[in-house]
Amino acid sequence: MAQVLEFKLPDLGEGLTEAEITRWLVQVGDVVEVDQLVVEVETAKAMVEVPCPYAGVITARFGEEGTELPVGAPLLTVAVGTPAVGAPAPGGAADDALSGAADAPAETSGNVLVGYGTGAAPARRRRIRPARDVAPVSPAARAEAPVAREEAPSAPAAGPGQGTELAGQGPDAEDGPVPVISPLVRKLARENGVDLRELAGSGPDGLILRADVEDVMRAAAAPLAGPAPATATARTTATGLGATFGTTREGAPAASRAPGSGTRVPLRGVRGAVADKLSRSRREIPDATTWVDADATELMHARVAMNAAGGPKVSLLALLARICTAALARHPELNSRVDMEAREIVQLDEVHLGFAAQTERGLVVPVVRDAHARDTESLSAEFARLSESARAGTLTPGELTGSTFTLNNYGVFGVDGSTPIINHPEAAMLGVGRIVPKPWVHQGELAVRQVVQLSLTFDHRVCDGGTAGGFLRFVADCVEQPAVLLRKV
């Protein structure tokens, strides 16, 4: 007998509670295999592809591209065992496509976490084309899987007693489906006593947006807050599909925005995660910053010489990382974290070096694992790999977590100095400004040298200024005379 199984957005780990659908990899009617990638989602950590643990025919998808879903929300439904939804009559064009689902056992790989599939190559997708004659859908099959706004192409319209619930339509709906942009909007309406059947949605084809529900909520609160303005004003609404800017339900242009109003940008995804982490750092860490100017001329010459010798190219970031790991070996207090519950400073044995990378999605901090055990060439190769993944948005959550110390090269933005915020729960961050020609006293004479400003922001709970100053001075000495690194390590 046919089974219609629901696949929910899995727990993505690392404390992530939601994700935004960025791209569907399958369509309703496609035949999928166990652990085939079905959707690409963006979390606060990275862009990831989610595998489906079932084999069968996709019968429904929940959420369009741009929709933000909480963990545990339905992603899609799959007809497993025999065709249940949208199956054509025998002899139809899709018989071959359905045969795979008909023979597939109703089983799951159990590998529903992102990145944990069987490793088998994904099957070629096959579309089920609508046939003229359509097999009826049993009430039992429909009762097992709620139907989204997008159903199998050839599924018949739901009749009385079939138990169909469209997105935004509750079981108690009386006048047909209520098109709602996401289940979160339906929940908002239910919690605030808003009857969706009485709303005229401002979205495409009357789709009810979050802003429509919020308008009703504001109108209900208007008697308490005073009379509302007589004219409609432009608004910006944050919905499950992202930000919709600049028009009212009446279609007023953004230029009619009321004085004092502004554009609202939702803090979610990478930007929201950065905001949360930086706020926590400022709340919990009593930080201090110290800085020094250094003559980087010899370091630049050393890099040129290394690259001229042949072999893999060495980046400046890799040289600075090598200096950092050497400095942390001498000052392990800065490679630590504070456990306030135990009231202990935990000094870490390994250095997992994070580095700040600006991408189109925002600021991310990829992590070079075991940086203390890598040579300069290995560091350079790993920086290049992680930077490319960051630009492509393909970093995994594991590559974005677990750093113990962060190197921040903000000089690429053309600035000399900064007071960076510590990447919680680390204890310190080294900032590097731009390297530019400046007047400098070199060997007793005024000369033009390549000068860089180095800054260290540190958690004052793990050490005092003497330790922080010693760390920064060692880094500066290595920048000025790279041979110091060989002599003192």
Side-chain angles (χ1 to χ4, degrees), residues 349-396:
D349 296 329
E350 295 84 19
V351 177
H352 302 313
L353 188 66
F355 66 99
Q358 190 70 37
T359 71
E360 293 181 356
R361 300 173 59 237
L363 181 68
V364 295
V365 183
V367 182
V368 177
R369 302 286 170 185
D370 298 315
H372 62 289
R374 296 176 180 266
D375 59 20
T376 307
E377 289 184 358
S378 174
L379 286 168
S380 189
E382 187 66 356
F383 279 127
R385 184 188 72 81
L386 291 171
S387 297
E388 178 60 30
S389 296
R391 286 189 292 270
T394 58
L395 289 170
T396 66

Side-chain angles (χ1 to χ4, degrees), residues 210-243:
R210 177 171 181 169
D212 300 323
V213 176
E214 291 175 341
D215 283 349
V216 175
M217 294 164 54
R218 282 193 293 268
L224 301 177
T231 58
T233 60
R235 69 176 180 214
T236 299
T237 63
T239 71
L241 289 179

Side-chain angles (χ1 to χ4, degrees), residues 408-429:
N408 186 357
N409 181 19
Y410 44 73
V412 296
F413 302 120
V415 298
D416 296 325
S418 176
T419 55
I421 299 176
I422 295 174
N423 186 24
H424 185 278
E426 298 170 14
M429 177 185 293

Side-chain angles (χ1 to χ4, degrees), residues 26 52 72 92 108 157 177 181 184 249 253 259 276 297 330-331 348 437 454:
V26 294
C52 177
T108 172
I181 197 166
L184 298 179
R249 184 178 306 168
D276 292 339
T297 306
R330 297 172 62 87
H331 301 280
L348 305 170
L454 306 170

Side-chain angles (χ1 to χ4, degrees), residues 5 23 38 127 216 244 257 281 300 323 398 400 403:
L5 303 179
R23 184 165 63 101
V38 292
R127 292 297 306 275
V216 175
T244 304
R257 183 175 298 155
S281 179
M300 301 299 287
I323 293 172
L400 287 164
S403 57

